[in-house]
Amino acid sequence: MRNRILPFTFCLFTSAFSFSQSEVLKYAHQVVDTLASPSMYGRGYVNKGDSIAADYIKKEFEKFGIKPIGKEFEQKFNFSVSVAKKDSIEVEIKYFSDYQTQNILSYIKGSQYPDSFIVFSAHYDHLGQKGKDVYFPGANDNASGCAMLLNLAKYYSQHPPKYSVAFMSFGGEEVGLLGSKYYVEHPLFPLKQIKFLVNMDIMGTGDEGIKVVNATEHKKEFDELVKINTAKNLLPVVSPRGKAANSDHYFFEEAGVKTFFIYTLGGIKAYHDIYDRPETLPLTKFEEVYKLLLDFTSYLQQ
């Protein structure tokens, strides 16, 4: 049986890559460098760093000619947050009971099945800035996921899919998955139209492969991921994990949407600290994960 399946798998997915993969990695570095730069203030709530990052992602979607899901790219929502600012030796803490942030939502209409969606998601927010000079770059968490999201958006803008493909960049993840929760509670199209959602967070390494949350919930789809990875010899391992409320896939899964949350393993250990910087983020298996996701999407569109 295996000998009959593998040739079919190779044949099915060989057409997915029609341009240089170095272009993918070059663009990924560009996105990570931008989102993790001091000008983004750690993509938190000091100096509206979250909104600066959101606007950057929106402009990238516009550059590719991708349309918003609703009337505009921004889906705005409010929440309570405390922001600490330091001026010289004085620390001022401001409490906002109604701070406004946003999700950035776009899609490419399917050529054959426009009312059925494959969704890619990645949160753009991070821990922000502490005081005047210290900020959290968040290169791996999750500028790398945004880099994957935008690379996929770029690809599908050049290769129109059969099914509609949506790209959701969520705010408020670091303060309790608030952006994705808000979207699930206020969807811009029926959730039942989502064929599958892949959430991407921590895409910057991969020396030890990837972990797939909800693999045990969606075994058929997970087995296909493993089959593609084996056929193409992409990653050291595609490792399964059960359900977990640890990223933006969670509220979709709870609402009955099939989801995976994929993150890379190994390499740099910097996480939620000032050392998660773009200059030390290797993007070791970024292209391989990118290829795997394109092939998996091709499978979902069969």
Side-chain angles (χ1 to χ4, degrees):
M1 177 63 75
R2 183 181 180 188
N3 289 335
R4 293 204 302 269
I5 291 174
L6 287 182
F8 170 77
T9 303
F10 274 112
C11 178
L12 183 62
F13 301 126
T14 49
S15 64
F17 314 105
S18 58
F19 57 89
S20 171
Q21 292 305 297
S22 61
E23 180 184 341
V24 171
L25 199 56
K26 180 179 178 181
Y27 182 52
H29 279 293
Q30 176 187 319
V31 173
V32 171
D33 288 347
T34 302
L35 287 174
S37 68
S39 65
M40 296 285 176
Y41 303 102
R43 306 191 305 279
Y45 313 109
V46 172
N47 299 323
K48 297 288 289 185
D50 60 320
S51 294
I52 298 171
D55 189 57
Y56 168 75
I57 292 169
K58 169 189 169 181
K59 288 178 179 176
E60 292 300 291
F61 286 144
E62 290 176 330
K63 186 190 301 181
F64 303 146
I66 300 175
K67 297 180 179 180
I69 293 177
K71 293 181 180 180
E72 55 187 12
F73 287 97
E74 298 89 349
Q75 183 190 43
K76 297 177 181 177
F77 62 98
N78 296 62
F79 66 101
S80 300
V81 63
S82 295
V83 176
K85 291 186 177 182
K86 183 178 180 181
D87 183 11
S88 184
I89 61 172
E90 297 291 327
V91 177
E92 180 184 7
I93 298 178
K94 290 187 176 181
Y95 176 76
F96 297 90
S97 61
D98 209 29
Y99 184 91
Q100 185 177 85
T101 190
Q102 57 281 306
N103 299 321
I104 303 297
L105 310 169
S106 66
Y107 85 112
I108 298 171
K109 187 176 182 180
S111 60
Q112 296 184 28
Y113 306 100
D115 294 327
S116 187
F117 288 78
I118 296 166
V119 178
F120 292 105
S121 67
H123 76 91
Y124 67 83
D125 67 309
H126 194 54
L127 301 180
Q129 183 169 312
K130 306 296 183 184
K132 185 178 180 180
D133 301 315
V134 178
Y135 81 103
F136 295 83
N140 203 10
D141 181 22
N142 187 34
S144 65
C146 292
M148 188 66 75
L149 184 77
L150 289 172
N151 257 304
L152 291 167
K154 182 179 181 181
Y155 176 85
Y156 287 109
S157 71
Q158 299 169 358
H159 304 80
K162 293 179 181 179
Y163 286 74
S164 291
V165 180
F167 307 95
M168 300 186 178
S169 191
F170 294 118
E173 193 268 356
E174 297 287 4
V175 289
L177 314 181
L178 297 185
S180 52
K181 182 176 187 291
Y182 185 86
Y183 184 85
V184 169
E185 294 171 348
H186 304 85
L188 299 186
F189 58 88
L191 295 178
K192 65 182 180 181
Q193 291 182 2
I194 300 178
K195 187 177 179 69
F196 210 93
L197 179 147
V198 178
N199 181 55
M200 302 166 295
D201 200 343
I202 314 291
M203 292 277 106
T205 62
D207 312 65
E208 298 173 13
I210 59 172
K211 185 76 76 173
V212 182
V213 173
N214 285 337
T216 57
E217 303 299 305
H218 310 298
K219 190 175 185 302
K220 177 183 176 183
E221 289 82 2
F222 176 73
D223 288 346
E224 189 64 32
L225 267 182
V226 174
K227 184 196 302 183
I228 296 167
N229 185 63
T230 301
K232 293 293 184 71
N233 192 29
L234 296 171
L235 300 163
V237 66
V238 176
S239 179
R241 181 172 173 177
K243 293 182 70 173
N246 56 350
S247 194
D248 285 316
H249 65 287
Y250 175 70
F251 290 106
F252 286 91
E253 184 73 26
E254 292 299 291
V257 176
K258 286 185 175 182
T259 72
F260 282 157
F261 163 34
I262 297 177
Y263 57 94
T264 56
L265 303 169
I268 187 171
K269 303 299 182 183
Y271 176 74
H272 278 197
D273 57 41
I274 62 173
Y275 303 106
D276 183 11
R277 303 189 304 263
E279 58 267 30
T280 55
L281 188 67
L283 296 177
T284 315
K285 294 292 185 179
F286 189 92
E287 292 177 86
E288 287 81 357
V289 177
Y290 170 80
K291 292 177 185 180
L292 181 63
L293 292 174
L294 285 183
D295 283 355
F296 183 62
T297 305
S298 294
Y299 157 76
L300 292 174
Q301 293 186 88
Q302 300 309 306

